[in-house]
Amino acid sequence: MRNASAVTVLEVTRGGMGDIPAPQEAPRRRRIPTGRSGKYRMRAEGPASMDDVHLAGDLEDKDTAFTWEVRANDRAYHQQFRKKGFLCWRQKKYKSNAIHTAKYNFFSFLPLNLFEQFHRTSNLYFLLIIILQSIPEISTLPWFTLFAPLVCLLVIRATRDLVDDIGRHRSDKIVNNRPCQILRGKSFLWKKWKNLCVGDVVCLSKDSIVPADLLLLASTEPSSLCYVETADIDGETNLKFRQALTVTHHELTSPKKMASFQGIVTCEEPNSRMHDFVGSLEWNSRKYPLDIGNLLLRGCKIRNTDTCYGLVIYAGLDTKIMKNCGKIHLKRTKLDLLMNKLVVLIFVFLVIGSLLLALGFTFMVKDFKGKHYYVSALHQRTEAMEVFFIFWGFLILLSVMVPMAMFIIAEFIYLGNSFFINWDLNMYYEPLDMPAKARSTSLNDQLGQVQYIFSDKTGTLTQNIMTFKKCCINGHVYDSDDEHGTLRKDTITLVELGEERVYQVLAMMDFNSVRKRMSVLVRNPEGSICLYTKGADTVILERLHRKGVMEATTEEVLAAFAEQTLRTLCLAYKEVAEDAYKQWEPEHQEAALLLQNRAQALHHVYNKMEQNLQLLGATAIEDKLQDGVPETIRCLKKGNIKVWVLTGDKPETAVNIGFACKLLSENMIIMEDKDIKRLLDNYWNEQHRSFKMMTHHNMALIINGEFLDQLLLSLRKEPRALVQNAVVDEVAQEPVMSRMDFLQARRISQMFRSFGSSLAPSPSVTSKTGESPEEQRERAFVDLASKCQAVICCRVTPKQKALVVALVKKYQQVVTLAIGDGANDVNMIKTADIGVGLAGQEGMQAVQNSDYVLAQFCYLQRLLLVHGRWSYMRVCKFLRYFFYKTVASMMAQIWFSLFNGFTAQPLYEGWFLALFNLMYSTLPVLYIGLFEQDVTAEKSLKMPKLYMAGQKDELFNYSIFLQAIVHGALTSIINFFVPVLVSQDMSKSGSSSDYQSFGVLVAISGLLSITMEVILVIKYWTLLCVASIVLSLSSYVLMTSLTQGLWLYKISPKTFPFLFADYNVLSQPASLLVIMLNVTLNTLPVLAFRVIRKTVFKLQLKEEEEEEEEKEKEEVPSEEVAVEPAVRHLRRGTAARRSSYAFSHREGYADLITQGTILRRPTGECGGEMVWESPNPSEEDVPFNHRESVFNPRKISILAKRKLHHCGKRSQTEETIASSQTEKQDLANLDTRPFGTGKPPTTTSAASGSLQVSSSDDQAFHSMPSEYTLASRPERLDVRTSSWRRPPWKGSASSKSQL
């Protein structure tokens, strides 16, 4: 029990080993080829291991120029350096610590904002028309009629941008004015962050935020340790530690000594690599190596440390977190970009129409002058000049075809829909008193077109709260309780069962994502040496000295913990002989002295010690998902939205969460880095067609940051030399890992053969013209990833997150959404088309840089499927109707030109043109944009497939636009030519048929026709809808009475020439009949067409649903029948188990022990013999036919149920036996082993107790891909005998499976 108790100290602690001065001579280097290019790179000779791949970042650093020199307490030295800026501008090389994230300043706001606004084609078009209107010779409308609305539009948009930027300025001011203590002379003085410079020495206290990237010099903790919380950087809330060099720890013990500190730090230039830092400290003629473990990054928070001191290495915008923040980009929606193209298209149409009308004027004026030669004196210009002016006159007259009112109303629609998001009580999170907030008002419609969601993990999908729940020691399960432990320098003091024991730390063997374990070598109070190791079960179980009953029981416990959604890891130890330690210790010291390939050498030494372990047990940690995450992801996937998880955590953690939130499932083909690389290498060859075949299979990708470094070459802004060496030569690895790689390669090869067997050979596919090899590889990766159901990127930096988003945007041309809650997500949020910040436990950086703010991930479902879809539908319907009504009313100007000699004379009253889009037809279209609903919010959530309409641009596109134009043109033809045809009969009967009466007749017909159209279009009828229609028509009656009244006519006859025109027309029955005829002809055919189309669509939809149901019935096999697909799934090697090891550690985190747990037997636990099962056979022990069965595509749940059914009931029917011959052969390979070998016997009884098998959903919930379990082991089918007892952690319910 003492060993079990002592091993728990490994959970949270590392002892300080100190630092050793670097030798004066670096290891000799040699040149090795890097690949097909034939180029060479330098590489130090020495031991090579599997860490070569993991340490790609270190290889990057070797090629980085170490030209960044920092001198302590020497501001004058840094201020003298300048570097080239814009044109001849020279800027300081060493920046101040002030940051500026705002887009504008006092002087740049007006020019820069106008520059951005006139990127919109519509604004350029309006500006051109205003310039033309200001020329008297060609103006047909007053210039101010368009100038005033344009100024109004620009002011609205500028005000919105200004408000957003003022918020950024306020945030910057708050950050820059934070206080900190800076060394001035021989004492520390309180100054502002913005006054901090490179080379300054800073004093920080507990709970302080680190103001810049600092080299830790000393702290008040033992061995100058400093505990930090990096939630704002990598999203992890668990504490990490940093440690100062031993030399500075011992020497810099007072402010006076720090003031005299003259050390020189030489390191790499500022970069965005958050987890890498390489440099050296030169002091007193000696050099000391520096790494990321000595650096405090800006944004970290000091925890559990009273005081620490640091030297500023990077300041302000040069800090790593600011290098990852990215720039603020102007985000434009797809509809906005489409409108730009449509404005150009309309302008081209207007130019062509004006040319044709001007050409008609040419023939007309010749004929007129020939017949009326006596008025030739009035025509002082030449015919060519007259045609030129007429062309521009028509262009101005028809400019209303692009109505500025549409863009102004659209701004109010966006604003209103943003308010609806803010007011939605269903997205209000009461525990934090946090409602949803739309910080951007111009992206609402794009929320209805999202196809890719890029999500952070920690704090976004999870609650970011981890709890130690259970543990298993020596085969017994215990609940969590408290145990106390403390660390003093190189010793660990524990209180074990009331007794205080002190352990001397001899060596710490650190964690990294390749080792997946960490160890501590200690000397106990009795004087003997022990090694304690914790790690993922995949690596611990492989290093055990032997496997017996206790080990088999622990594996069962691990599976049981996984069923409870707990993250597990294993604990082991061994006693080390004194001679063995004395032989190992010099090797360890020698490896620790290396400057080149230090990590590889240490790994080799660590691995030598971590063999022949004895298993102690396992622990279980719970990290709960946020409420509703699995349901939200499932619903989003039904809406054809792909979810990618981009996290800085380890692969084990990310994959665990992937299964927990139902992003990954049991029946998925899970591909990892090397598998993907092989596919990409064959993309442009014979396997290109196999990519298309993958669409029919459920696939997922698991990739890491090193792989992305190799891939994202064309998108990276850093020099290519920094990433080209990420691809390293493969070297000999540990035997177990090599076997795993071989097995994965064989599985991929089998998959390729499966694809190839069903495809005829196809010629190689050439890439697009002009694409570089890097772009071809990127395109291939995106093509592969787009066919997968899930993609998880692990160990990625904030900049890599942004590059992944940019990669998908570049090659897929889709709408992307990024969601996160920490500063490490800011760059991703800025890069995506839509950025969503979660108000969580990681600060407010993500919120301050986002477009929308939510309190929980589950609210994303309502934001997209309800508000997003509604906004897209409303804006699309608004645009279609606005174009229709504009063409229906204004194209009559063209038809009128055929009757007025092509003279560009307006048809309508000037006030009708001015108020048509402002009052007469505005309220109904505004109602559509704000309140229209096709289905309720509840139905939108229940039917996520409705969301796909926005992804496919079905509601507004070039086809819909053309339909609106044609519909409007037909309406204008009816409204114009019907009065023309009946005007002669009307004049004969005494009715007026003058120009003004004709214009009023066409205007009223058009207004009523478009009003009937809006009545047909609106589906969501309320009293507000009725009021908007009534008020619009009432405004026409009111304003016409004023503008055509006698009083205004007397004041200005030229301004108000239509005296009583409407009264004269409406007082004549014939005119009323013409208006009714026009409205009827425009409404009834359209109504009939839509009813017929809707009926036919419903019938087709019903037939399709019936066909799909029939196909599902035919395709879905029963559990008794296994269907063999064309592709063999890449199956995991062991039963579902998830390691929690990655939750608490990263490389360098062999942290200090501050707290442990005492393991107590729960009350009422039954005793007796523990249930055990055989360990999984190795790959070599299993015959080939059984190894092939590992890739059987049947679901594990079905296999397990059949296994239990087969073991529990030997008297099954012959049909069942005949249908599972292959399966029984597989079972025979497992069940016919002798009992003496530690394997269970083959005989069972019907009453035998067996493990409870989870449903297929549970299997998907607890799944793990092959890299994160023992891939060399086939799937285990559990068999139990009647004499075995149930394990105490299992329920008492019967485990009999129902097939």
Side-chain angles (χ1 to χ4, degrees):
M1 194 61 197
R2 175 167 295 174
N3 289 337
S5 176
V7 80
T8 61
V9 304
L10 296 178
E11 287 298 326
V12 290
T13 302
R14 168 184 175 176
M17 293 302 298
D19 296 273
I20 302 172
Q24 297 296 324
E25 182 177 353
R28 181 168 57 90
R29 294 188 170 199
R30 60 186 174 90
R31 294 165 64 87
I32 63 173
T34 58
R36 297 180 180 179
S37 62
K39 297 182 180 179
Y40 289 81
R41 60 178 171 85
M42 301 303 296
R43 175 175 171 182
E45 292 185 344
S49 71
M50 59 189 296
D51 275 335
D52 281 358
V53 176
H54 174 70
L55 298 174
D58 294 337
L59 294 175
E60 286 186 12
D61 295 328
K62 295 175 186 177
D63 294 329
T64 304
F66 291 87
T67 59
W68 192 261
E69 185 175 300
V70 178
R71 296 192 177 186
N73 299 310
D74 194 349
R75 282 197 172 191
Y77 171 79
H78 304 108
Q79 292 176 355
Q80 65 181 338
F81 291 95
R82 295 287 188 273
K83 65 179 181 179
K84 186 177 180 180
F86 179 71
L87 297 178
C88 298
W89 182 264
R90 305 283 294 182
Q91 58 183 356
K92 292 182 179 180
K93 177 181 179 180
Y94 298 91
K95 293 182 173 61
S96 68
N97 200 46
I99 62 169
H100 305 282
T101 62
K103 186 188 300 185
Y104 313 109
N105 57 40
F106 180 80
F107 298 101
S108 67
F109 172 72
L110 186 60
L112 184 57
N113 188 264
L114 288 177
F115 175 77
E116 291 177 348
Q117 292 216 46
F118 280 102
H119 268 71
R120 300 175 186 265
T121 310
S122 58
N123 290 344
L124 291 175
Y125 169 79
F126 295 138
L127 181 62
L128 173 63
I129 298 300
I130 290 173
I131 294 174
L132 294 177
Q133 284 184 341
S134 63
I135 303 175
E137 287 79 5
I138 61 176
S139 177
T140 56
L141 295 173
W143 65 271
F144 55 82
T145 58
L146 201 58
F147 178 77
L150 178 61
V151 171
C152 179
L153 179 62
L154 295 178
V155 168
I156 291 174
R157 289 174 173 169
T159 302
R160 180 191 62 197
D161 295 338
L162 180 62
V163 170
D164 292 342
D165 210 57
I166 288 176
R168 299 188 189 99
H169 275 283
R170 290 175 178 172
S171 176
D172 291 345
K173 186 177 180 180
I174 293 173
V175 172
N176 291 331
N177 290 330
R178 285 175 177 170
C180 67
Q181 296 185 71
I182 305 175
L183 184 62
R184 287 289 184 270
K186 296 182 180 180
S187 61
F188 287 93
L189 302 179
W190 285 100
K191 299 288 183 180
K192 297 179 179 180
W193 276 25
K194 62 183 180 181
N195 298 325
L196 200 61
C197 296
V198 173
D200 287 349
V201 177
V202 182
C203 176
L204 301 174
S205 57
K206 184 179 179 181
D207 295 331
S208 297
I209 299 176
V210 180
D213 290 350
L214 309 177
L215 171 64
L216 181 62
L217 298 177
S219 78
T220 55
E221 293 297 305
S223 301
S224 280
L225 290 164
C226 180
Y227 298 93
V228 294
E229 180 184 284
T230 60
D232 280 347
I233 295 179
D234 56 16
E236 299 179 5
T237 55
N238 55 291
L239 296 186
K240 301 177 177 63
F241 82 95
R242 297 293 182 263
Q243 188 171 14
L245 297 175
T246 303
V247 61
T248 59
H249 165 65
H250 290 300
E251 297 294 334
L252 303 180
T253 57
S254 66
K256 183 178 180 180
K257 292 183 177 180
M258 290 184 183
S260 62
F261 177 56
Q262 298 297 324
I264 300 176
V265 175
T266 303
C267 60
E268 57 194 4
E269 292 283 328
N271 58 70
S272 60
R273 296 188 294 277
M274 301 292 299
H275 306 295
D276 297 311
F277 175 76
V278 177
S280 64
L281 171 65
E282 184 176 358
W283 188 29
N284 296 334
S285 302
R286 300 190 68 181
K287 285 188 176 181
Y288 307 88
L290 303 174
D291 57 27
I292 193 65
N294 308 120
L295 208 63
L296 299 176
L297 298 182
R298 179 188 176 111
C300 295
K301 184 174 289 188
I302 306 299
R303 297 291 194 189
N304 297 348
T305 304
D306 292 334
T307 307
C308 64
Y309 304 89
L311 174 67
V312 178
I313 305 298
Y314 306 123
L317 298 177
D318 284 337
T319 57
K320 290 182 177 291
I321 188 64
M322 294 306 298
K323 284 287 185 181
N324 276 279
C325 280
K327 297 182 179 179
I328 299 175
H329 304 284
L330 178 64
K331 295 187 177 182
R332 307 281 296 275
T333 67
K334 291 179 69 175
L335 288 179
D336 193 10
L337 297 175
L338 177 60
M339 285 299 301
N340 279 344
K341 298 176 182 178
L342 292 181
V343 168
V344 174
L345 187 64
I346 294 174
F347 180 73
V348 172
F349 167 76
L350 294 183
V351 170
I352 295 174
S354 299
L355 285 174
L356 293 177
L357 293 174
L359 184 63
F361 175 80
T362 302
F363 296 105
M364 184 65 68
V365 74
K366 289 182 179 179
D367 183 66
F368 181 82
K369 287 183 177 181
K371 294 181 179 179
H372 306 280
Y373 60 90
Y374 48 86
V375 295
S376 59
L378 299 177
H379 300 275
Q380 299 178 356
R381 303 189 184 98
T382 62
E383 293 183 4
M385 186 61 68
E386 289 284 354
V387 172
F388 176 79
F389 284 122
I390 286 294
F391 165 76
W392 291 109
F394 272 118
L395 190 62
I396 295 173
L397 182 65
L398 298 177
S399 64
V400 292
M401 299 292 287
V402 184
M404 186 176 295
M406 180 176 68
F407 296 92
I408 297 176
I409 295 174
E411 292 297 324
F412 288 101
I413 290 176
Y414 284 124
L415 183 63
N417 283 297
S418 299
F419 284 142
F420 296 152
I421 293 175
N422 299 343
W423 297 338
D424 192 343
L425 294 179
N426 291 313
M427 294 195 294
Y428 171 74
Y429 189 60
E430 187 174 358
L432 294 179
D433 190 25
M434 177 66 65
K437 183 179 181 181
R439 300 182 74 250
S440 174
T441 60
S442 60
L443 302 175
N444 298 330
D445 60 286
Q446 192 136 287
L447 286 173
Q449 298 181 281
V450 174
Q451 290 179 259
Y452 283 80
I453 293 178
F454 300 91
S455 173
D456 180 39
K457 180 191 69 65
T458 307
T460 303
L461 299 178
T462 68
Q463 296 182 8
N464 209 358
I465 300 174
M466 285 170 283
T467 307
F468 185 86
K469 300 294 291 185
K470 296 182 179 180
C471 64
C472 173
I473 301 296
N474 199 26
H476 295 268
V477 178
Y478 302 87
D479 291 326
S480 180
D481 205 341
D482 293 332
E483 179 176 338
H484 303 285
T486 59
L487 174 79
R488 292 294 180 268
K489 294 185 178 179
D490 292 339
T491 64
I492 300 173
T493 302
L494 289 177
V495 179
E496 303 175 3
L497 302 178
E499 178 185 353
E500 184 176 290
R501 293 174 58 82
V502 179
Y503 295 81
Q504 179 187 359
V505 178
L506 301 179
M508 303 296 299
M509 304 174 198
D510 223 338
F511 167 87
N512 63 42
S513 60
V514 175
R515 284 170 41 78
K516 301 180 184 177
R517 63 190 182 276
M518 66 168 292
S519 302
V520 58
L521 194 64
V522 299
R523 188 183 300 273
N524 61 24
E526 290 77 17
S528 60
I529 300 175
C530 292
L531 175 77
Y532 294 96
T533 302
K534 72 168 184 175
D537 52 5
T538 57
V539 294
I540 298 298
L541 297 178
E542 293 169 352
R543 288 165 173 77
L544 298 182
H545 173 65
R546 64 179 180 85
K547 297 183 180 179
V549 175
M550 193 270 285
E551 287 76 14
T553 302
T554 302
E555 289 194 59
E556 284 191 0
V557 173
L558 290 170
F561 285 168
E563 291 179 7
Q564 302 170 37
T565 72
L566 302 176
R567 276 65 173 166
T568 60
L569 59 84
C570 289
L571 307 172
Y573 85 106
K574 78 170 183 178
E575 294 184 358
V576 180
E578 190 72 30
D579 294 340
Y581 171 71
K582 290 182 179 179
Q583 181 181 357
W584 177 85
E585 197 272 338
E587 298 179 7
H588 176 245
Q589 291 293 333
E590 181 182 357
L593 286 172
L594 294 177
L595 285 181
Q596 303 291 339
N597 296 324
R598 181 192 300 173
Q600 293 97 320
L602 286 174
H603 171 75
H604 178 75
V605 175
Y606 294 164
N607 188 61
K608 185 177 180 180
M609 176 61 69
E610 297 166 327
Q611 300 294 333
N612 299 321
L613 304 176
Q614 180 178 340
L615 185 65
L616 285 171
T619 61
I621 296 175
E622 182 179 38
D623 181 26
K624 291 184 178 180
L625 293 172
Q626 290 186 12
D627 295 336
V629 169
E631 295 79 9
T632 299
I633 291 180
R634 185 186 301 112
C635 187
L636 293 175
K637 291 173 71 175
K638 289 181 180 179
N640 195 35
I641 300 176
K642 298 182 182 297
V643 180
W644 291 24
V645 176
L646 311 180
T647 176
D649 264 347
K650 292 78 186 172
E652 295 90 345
T653 309
V655 171
N656 290 334
I657 295 299
F659 280 103
C661 68
K662 302 301 179 67
L663 186 62
L664 302 177
S665 61
E666 174 67 25
N667 61 347
M668 277 187 173
I669 301 177
I670 298 179
M671 305 183 65
E672 298 155 6
D673 295 346
K674 293 185 178 180
D675 309 331
I676 300 169
K677 183 179 182 298
R678 294 185 182 98
L679 279 176
L680 298 183
D681 290 341
N682 292 275
Y683 177 77
W684 302 108
N685 299 320
E686 70 277 5
Q687 297 298 340
H688 177 73
R689 290 180 60 191
S690 66
F691 271 46
K692 299 179 180 179
M693 291 292 296
M694 293 179 186
T695 308
H696 305 290
H697 299 280
N698 204 3
M699 298 178 59
L701 301 184
I702 310 294
I703 57 181
N704 59 33
E706 288 95 5
F707 176 83
L708 292 176
D709 269 339
Q710 304 169 27
L711 180 70
L712 305 174
L713 295 178
S714 71
L715 293 175
R716 292 179 64 95
K717 295 183 179 179
E718 295 179 355
R720 184 177 174 183
L722 298 182
V723 294
Q724 65 183 359
N725 287 333
V727 182
V728 298
D729 297 332
E730 294 190 9
V731 295
Q733 300 180 353
E734 298 180 38
V736 175
M737 295 298 295
S738 299
R739 181 169 64 250
M740 292 170 62
D741 294 340
F742 167 77
L743 293 175
Q744 287 186 345
R746 188 180 70 183
R747 292 169 184 174
I748 293 294
S749 300
Q750 290 178 349
M751 185 179 68
F752 274 154
R753 289 198 297 270
S754 299
F755 281 132
S757 63
S758 60
L759 296 173
S762 60
S764 60
V765 182
T766 58
S767 62
K768 290 191 175 182
T769 306
E771 282 191 349
S772 65
E774 291 85 0
E775 291 176 322
Q776 294 178 16
R777 192 173 181 84
E778 290 170 358
R779 182 181 295 278
F781 170 76
V782 176
D783 191 14
L784 171 62
S786 65
K787 292 175 174 57
C788 297
Q789 298 299 313
V791 176
I792 298 179
C793 302
C794 317
R795 301 301 296 168
V796 292
T797 64
K799 187 170 184 179
Q800 286 176 327
K801 290 184 178 183
L803 290 176
V804 170
V805 176
L807 185 72
V808 174
K809 290 175 62 177
K810 179 179 179 181
Y811 295 107
Q812 286 290 313
Q813 303 297 321
V814 294
V815 178
T816 59
L817 181 146
I819 180 170
D821 66 328
N824 57 323
D825 305 315
V826 169
N827 202 350
M828 173 179 70
I829 288 173
K830 290 181 178 178
T831 304
D833 296 304
I834 302 171
V836 178
L838 288 188
Q841 301 183 18
E842 302 182 15
M844 298 296 291
Q845 285 83 351
V847 169
Q848 292 168 355
N849 291 274
S850 64
D851 304 307
Y852 298 89
V853 180
L854 299 176
Q856 293 282 286
F857 181 85
C858 62
Y859 296 154
L860 187 63
Q861 178 181 359
R862 186 172 181 86
L863 180 67
L864 297 183
L865 301 186
V866 178
H867 292 282
R869 202 184 69 82
W870 276 353
S871 296
Y872 171 73
M873 179 269 299
R874 290 165 179 169
V875 173
C876 289
K877 189 173 287 190
F878 158 78
L879 291 175
R880 186 195 183 283
Y881 176 74
F882 214 106
F883 278 119
Y884 160 75
K885 78 181 187 68
T886 301
V887 173
S889 301
M890 300 305 162
M891 191 168 276
Q893 299 278 7
I894 297 177
W895 315 136
F896 185 59
S897 299
L898 304 176
F899 295 87
N900 65 10
F902 301 96
T903 57
Q905 179 185 2
L907 170 63
Y908 302 118
E909 179 189 10
W911 288 104
F912 178 83
L913 293 174
L915 299 175
F916 176 74
N917 285 323
L918 184 62
M919 296 182 64
Y920 302 160
S921 60
T922 299
L923 292 180
V925 76
L926 186 62
Y927 176 87
I928 290 177
L930 290 177
F931 303 104
E932 175 67 343
Q933 297 179 18
D934 53 350
V935 295
T936 63
E938 291 73 17
K939 289 186 177 179
S940 295
L941 295 174
K942 291 180 180 179
M943 298 184 292
K945 289 186 178 181
L946 294 175
Y947 188 83
M948 297 171 63
Q951 297 173 339
K952 299 176 182 178
D953 301 324
E954 291 182 353
L955 301 186
F956 191 79
N957 48 45
Y958 288 108
S959 176
I960 299 295
F961 170 75
L962 184 60
Q963 293 176 23
I965 297 299
V966 172
H967 186 193
L970 293 175
T971 301
S972 67
I973 290 175
I974 293 174
N975 289 336
F976 182 86
F977 285 101
V978 169
V980 167
L981 294 176
V982 301
S983 60
Q984 296 179 354
D985 295 334
M986 291 173 61
S987 60
K988 292 179 181 179
S989 63
S991 300
S992 62
S993 58
D994 58 284
Y995 152 68
Q996 290 186 353
S997 298
F998 181 80
V1000 168
L1001 190 62
V1002 175
I1004 295 176
S1005 298
L1007 181 60
L1008 293 179
S1009 296
I1010 64 173
T1011 302
M1012 289 301 301
E1013 173 65 16
V1014 81
I1015 291 175
L1016 297 179
V1017 165
I1018 293 176
K1019 294 183 178 181
Y1020 185 64
W1021 280 86
T1022 62
L1023 291 178
L1024 188 60
C1025 176
V1026 177
S1028 66
I1029 296 174
V1030 173
L1031 288 176
S1032 294
L1033 296 178
S1034 300
S1035 65
Y1036 174 78
V1037 176
L1038 178 62
M1039 295 305 300
T1040 301
S1041 301
L1042 292 175
T1043 59
Q1044 297 181 8
L1046 181 61
W1047 180 67
L1048 292 177
Y1049 177 79
K1050 290 180 178 180
I1051 295 175
S1052 178
K1054 291 184 178 181
T1055 307
F1056 305 96
F1058 280 59
L1059 180 62
F1060 299 127
D1062 273 54
Y1063 176 79
N1064 293 333
V1065 170
L1066 296 177
S1067 61
Q1068 299 175 7
S1071 299
L1072 295 176
L1073 290 175
V1074 170
I1075 293 173
M1076 292 179 61
L1077 178 61
N1078 286 342
V1079 174
T1080 302
L1081 292 176
N1082 287 321
T1083 303
L1084 290 182
V1086 174
L1087 179 61
F1089 173 77
R1090 290 176 179 172
V1091 170
I1092 295 174
R1093 186 181 63 175
K1094 187 175 182 179
T1095 304
V1096 172
F1097 175 76
K1098 286 184 176 180
L1099 293 175
Q1100 292 178 348
L1101 184 62
K1102 186 176 181 180
E1103 292 177 358
E1104 292 177 358
E1105 290 178 352
E1106 292 177 352
E1107 291 178 359
E1108 289 181 359
E1109 291 178 358
E1110 292 178 358
K1111 289 182 179 179
E1112 290 178 356
K1113 291 179 181 179
E1114 295 175 358
E1115 293 178 358
V1116 176
S1118 64
E1119 292 185 348
E1120 295 296 332
V1121 181
V1123 178
E1124 188 80 22
V1127 182
R1128 297 177 179 269
H1129 288 217
L1130 304 182
R1131 313 300 290 167
R1132 302 194 317 278
T1134 58
R1137 186 183 306 141
R1138 297 186 304 204
S1139 170
S1140 65
Y1141 192 66
F1143 275 91
S1144 58
H1145 288 83
R1146 53 175 290 179
E1147 187 168 5
Y1149 202 112
D1151 59 8
L1152 303 174
I1153 301 169
T1154 57
Q1155 182 177 353
T1157 56
I1158 186 168
L1159 307 179
R1160 297 178 180 173
R1161 186 184 185 95
T1163 305
E1165 181 181 330
C1166 59
E1169 181 182 355
M1170 300 300 297
V1171 176
W1172 62 275
E1173 70 172 273
S1174 66
N1176 294 322
S1178 64
E1179 189 75 11
E1180 291 83 354
D1181 297 334
V1182 182
F1184 181 78
N1185 59 348
H1186 176 68
R1187 277 182 269 164
E1188 288 296 326
S1189 70
V1190 173
F1191 313 117
N1192 196 305
R1194 305 182 185 101
K1195 291 187 177 181
I1196 287 184
S1197 58
I1198 299 178
L1199 272 177
K1201 290 177 182 178
R1202 288 186 180 178
K1203 175 63 183 177
L1204 295 176
H1205 192 69
H1206 170 72
C1207 298
K1209 293 186 178 181
R1210 290 288 183 174
S1211 60
Q1212 289 188 343
T1213 61
E1214 293 297 326
E1215 290 79 6
T1216 304
I1217 297 176
S1219 65
S1220 58
Q1221 292 296 327
T1222 304
E1223 179 185 334
K1224 291 200 297 182
Q1225 180 64 34
D1226 296 341
L1227 299 179
N1229 293 328
L1230 289 175
D1231 297 345
T1232 57
R1233 299 184 184 273
F1235 185 78
T1237 61
K1239 310 294 188 295
T1242 59
T1243 59
T1244 61
S1245 65
S1248 62
S1250 58
L1251 286 179
Q1252 199 168 9
V1253 179
S1254 60
S1255 66
S1256 60
D1257 287 341
D1258 291 332
Q1259 291 288 347
F1261 193 84
H1262 306 308
S1263 299
M1264 275 285 295
S1266 59
E1267 181 182 352
Y1268 315 111
T1269 55
L1270 294 177
S1272 59
R1273 301 178 177 181
E1275 294 173 353
R1276 180 176 65 252
L1277 302 179
D1278 299 329
V1279 183
R1280 299 289 178 269
T1281 62
S1282 59
S1283 61
W1284 297 347
R1285 300 182 181 181
R1286 285 190 70 80
W1289 59 88
K1290 291 288 184 178
S1292 60
S1294 174
S1295 61
K1296 183 178 180 180
S1297 301
Q1298 299 295 328
L1299 294 178

